[in-house]
Amino acid sequence: MLVRTAPLRALLAALIALLVLAAPAAAHERKLLLGTAVDVEALANDDRYRALLAREFDSVTAENVMKWYAVEPQRGVDEFEDADRLVRFARRHGQSVYGHTLVWHNQLPSWLTEGSFSKPELKRILRRHIFAVAGHFRGKVRAWDVVNEAIDDDGQWRDTIFYRAFGKRYVEMALRWARKADPHAKLFLNDYNIEGLNAKSDAYFALAKDLRRRGVPLDGIGIQGHLSLVYDFPGGVEENLRRFARLGLEPAFTEVDVRIPLPVSDDELAEQADWFGGLYDACRAVPPCKTFTVWGFTDRYSWVPSVFPGEGAATPFDEEYRPKPAWSAIHPPRSGT
Ligand code: XIL
C-alpha cells in the first residue's frame, strides 16, 4: 500500500514506533503463574482465606499435607485425604497443583526416622513411597519437588538418612522412579539460598548439569526464595536463573516470603515489596521461568513467626487480608492496560 499524504505517513510512522517501543515492554510484562502454599486447616475453616485463594491464585502447593509424615504416618498406610481435598479445590477453581515433596530429610514419619533398616530395605521403602505418592497424584500435579534440600549452605551434600545409605545416587534414583510413577509431571530439585550466585547454587548447577548430561530425568530447579530483610538481597538472581535455563531447565520460585524484623515500619514494607518484585521480575525476564509461588499469602497463617522468632509479616497480605505493597509487586494488573 502506498501512503500518499504526509499526515498519514506521520501517523503510520508513529504507529510503528509505538509497536516497536511496546514490544519489549510487553515481553517484560509477561504474566507468571501465581502460586501459593496452602494451609489445609485454613482452607477448611476460614471463608476469607478460601475466597482469596480461589480468586487470586493460579497454582497451589500443599504446605504440609503431601509430605511423607502426612501421607504415610504408619508404615504401609497411605493417607491422602487432606491432600486430595486440596487437589479437588484446585480442580474446581481451575488451578494447577505443584507437588511438594517426595524426598526430604524433614517431616519424615517417626517409624522411618526411628527404625533401623538395611540399605536394601531402605531402598524398597523409598521406592515404594515415590510410587505410592507420585502414582496416587499421577496426572493431577503439574510438577514434583522430587528431592528437597539435598545440599547444605556450603555446597556440600547434606547428611541425611538417604545420603548416608546411598550417597548422592539417591537423587538420581528418586528422579528415575518419579518419572516412571508420573511420566507427565515436571521433576524438580528444590532448595533455599539458591536465589543468587553463590557456593550452594554453584553446587546445584554442577549437579543439574551432570544429571542432564547423563540423561537423568530432571526438568526444573525450584528456588524457594525464603528471604529476610535482616540480610542482603541475593546478588545475581537473573544470571542464576539464566544459567539453569541454558541447561534446558525450568527455573521456578517455589516458596517466596520476605521476613521483616517486628514490629514492621512502612519503609520496611516498601523494601519488602522491592524484594518480592526483584524475584518476580527476574523470573519474568527469563522465559522458561513460569511460576512464582509464595509460601502462604497471608500473615495470618505464615510459618515465619514460630520458626524465626522476632521476624514476621513475610507474606503479601496482612493478618486481616489487607494487601501489602508486596502484593502490587507480584500482581500486575490483569487486563494488561
Ligand atoms: C514448613 C511449613 O511451612 C511449616 O508449616 C512446617 O511446620 C515446616 O515446614 N522449606 C520447605 C517447606 O521446603 O516444606 C517448609 O515448610 C519451609 C522451608
Side-chain angles (χ1 to χ4, degrees):
M1 186 182 79
L2 256 177
V3 182
R4 288 168 200 286
T5 64
L8 255 183
R9 263 201 306 273
L11 190 68
L12 206 62
L15 267 176
I16 289 169
L18 200 71
L19 280 176
V20 169
L21 286 175
H28 190 66
E29 297 304 316
R30 191 168 66 88
K31 283 275 168 46
L32 303 176
L33 284 179
L34 192 59
T36 180
V38 176
D39 174 339
V40 296
E41 292 284 314
L43 185 67
N45 300 316
D46 182 337
D47 294 342
R48 286 192 294 173
Y49 183 91
R50 219 171 14 246
L52 200 53
L53 174 62
R55 192 176 74 228
E56 299 293 354
F57 292 90
D58 309 304
S59 164
V60 298
T61 304
E63 183 168 0
N64 288 301
V65 295
M66 288 190 190
K67 293 171 180 174
W68 199 333
Y69 83 102
V71 295
E72 198 186 353
Q74 291 167 54
R75 190 169 179 187
V77 180
D78 295 326
E79 265 299 344
F80 294 121
E81 243 173 70
D82 286 342
D84 284 346
R85 206 168 299 132
L86 175 59
V87 171
R88 281 198 301 272
F89 179 90
R91 174 170 294 184
R92 271 205 306 282
H93 296 95
Q95 297 163 320
S96 63
V97 179
Y98 188 97
H100 177 79
T101 171
L102 295 173
V103 185
W104 190 28
H105 61 283
N106 277 335
Q107 294 183 287
L108 292 169
S110 53
W111 64 263
L112 178 57
T113 50
E114 285 159 21
S116 84
F117 305 102
S118 68
K119 282 182 198 179
E121 201 173 4
L122 188 60
K123 189 168 172 182
R124 278 196 298 278
I125 288 172
L126 187 59
R127 186 177 190 286
R128 184 224 177 256
H129 170 67
I130 291 174
F131 275 91
V133 181
H136 178 82
F137 295 107
R138 183 183 179 128
K140 295 180 176 162
V141 300
R142 169 178 109 69
W144 270 110
D145 285 332
V146 177
V147 182
N148 196 29
E149 302 179 354
I151 291 178
D152 71 21
D153 280 353
D154 305 329
Q156 306 299 313
W157 285 93
R158 188 187 292 276
D159 182 29
T160 70
I161 167 173
F162 311 110
Y163 184 74
R164 280 196 289 280
F166 313 114
K168 62 182 184 181
R169 266 189 2 97
Y170 84 91
V171 171
E172 174 175 348
M173 286 159 34
L175 288 165
R176 291 191 190 279
W177 288 331
R179 176 65 97 226
K180 283 216 178 91
D182 186 352
H184 297 297
K186 297 237 192 261
L187 307 183
F188 279 70
L189 301 179
N190 190 54
D191 216 320
Y192 61 89
N193 285 355
I194 56 167
E195 294 72 30
L197 296 166
N198 58 39
K200 188 170 181 178
S201 62
D202 285 351
Y204 267 99
F205 182 71
L207 171 61
K209 195 171 172 181
D210 176 60
L211 292 169
R212 296 281 294 181
R213 191 177 48 78
R214 293 189 296 107
V216 179
L218 175 68
D219 305 302
I221 181 86
I223 302 173
Q224 292 184 4
H226 294 293
L227 304 181
S228 166
L229 288 193
V230 167
Y231 309 108
D232 290 331
F233 187 78
V237 175
E238 191 177 316
E239 203 181 325
N240 189 42
L241 300 195
R242 282 193 199 288
R243 66 175 171 167
F244 285 104
R246 275 197 299 272
L247 292 180
L249 294 174
E250 173 188 334
F253 285 107
T254 53
E255 306 186 11
V256 180
D257 51 18
V258 180
R259 315 189 290 274
I260 304 179
L262 298 172
V264 303
S265 69
D266 286 349
D267 283 352
E268 287 167 321
L269 288 172
E271 194 179 359
Q272 178 187 51
D274 284 348
W275 288 32
F276 268 95
L279 297 185
Y280 191 87
D281 290 342
C283 185
R284 273 208 300 205
V286 180
C289 187
K290 294 179 194 60
T291 57
F292 185 90
T293 295
V294 295
W295 204 243
F297 59 90
T298 164
D299 294 339
R300 199 176 186 89
Y301 302 110
S302 165
W303 72 307
V304 166
S306 61
V307 177
F308 303 93
E311 293 179 85
T315 79
F317 289 85
D318 72 11
E319 298 193 354
E320 287 306 323
Y321 296 100
R322 288 176 297 238
K324 290 147 70 172
W327 181 238
S328 324
I330 60 170
H331 190 254
R334 281 179 191 273
S335 60
T337 52

